[in-house]
Amino acid sequence: MPKTARDSVNGEVVLVVDDEASIRSLLRMELGSQGYVCVEAGDADAALALLGTAFQPSIILCDLNLPGMSGFEFIQQLRQTSTTAEIIVVTGLHDHQLMRRAIREGAFDYVLKPFEREDLFLTVQRASEKGRLVRQNRAYQTHLERMVQEKTKELRAVRDAAILTLAQLAERRDRTTAAH
């Protein structure tokens, strides 16, 4: 099983969370045809167990109607963890209120069942791009923070050297000019 997004062919690992094995299988085949590596979970608890390991998918496709924990509760749990995965809701519920709620609670987007292949691919591709940009931005921010720390250290060293030099100059005042 791939452990990180870098282990797959195109750089993306997708976790598919749906209680219907046929939907999980279909999503795995469709996305696999596009180079994605898919890992399946039949419910939110199984998905959370996977995410509790070193497994970190780039994208999570999740149904809203799951046994046990609902899709909404699952999204809330995911947002409380450190996962950076983009969440796409895949549901047969054609209710715009539910879709808005899912997005408000942290889903990137949604795909309605039965889905069109192109809609699925486009949504996953957009989520992938957003995730890539977020990871790139975080790496850039980390790099900038490291540079600021290094420059701050250098500036403090220069400041300390300047203070020491001024102190040494003050001690070497010319006695013939009344210590000026």
Side-chain angles (χ1 to χ4, degrees), residues 81-172:
T81 67
S82 61
T83 186
T84 58
E86 296 299 329
I87 302 166
I88 299 171
V89 171
V90 180
T91 185
L93 303 172
H94 295 257
D95 184 337
H96 292 288
Q97 296 286 6
L98 291 176
M99 296 305 111
R100 282 193 287 275
R101 179 180 170 199
I103 290 171
R104 272 195 314 269
E105 292 191 16
F108 169 75
D109 204 349
Y110 63 92
V111 175
L112 294 173
K113 296 178 196 174
F115 54 84
E116 296 289 328
R117 292 179 76 225
E118 292 306 313
D119 290 342
L120 174 68
F121 295 155
L122 181 61
T123 303
V124 170
Q125 183 180 11
R126 285 190 6 239
S128 172
E129 180 64 12
K130 180 186 177 220
R132 186 189 64 75
L133 290 171
V134 166
R135 288 186 300 276
Q136 184 179 32
N137 189 357
R138 283 188 182 140
Y140 182 65
Q141 183 178 5
T142 300
H143 174 71
L144 288 177
E145 288 171 356
R146 194 174 315 119
M147 284 180 54
V148 166
Q149 289 173 348
E150 290 170 4
K151 294 300 179 187
T152 299
K153 187 177 178 180
E154 289 175 19
L155 286 173
R156 285 184 179 143
V158 169
R159 177 201 64 195
D160 293 348
I163 290 171
L164 180 61
T165 301
L166 289 173
Q168 289 171 343
L169 286 173
E171 290 176 1
R172 293 184 183 160

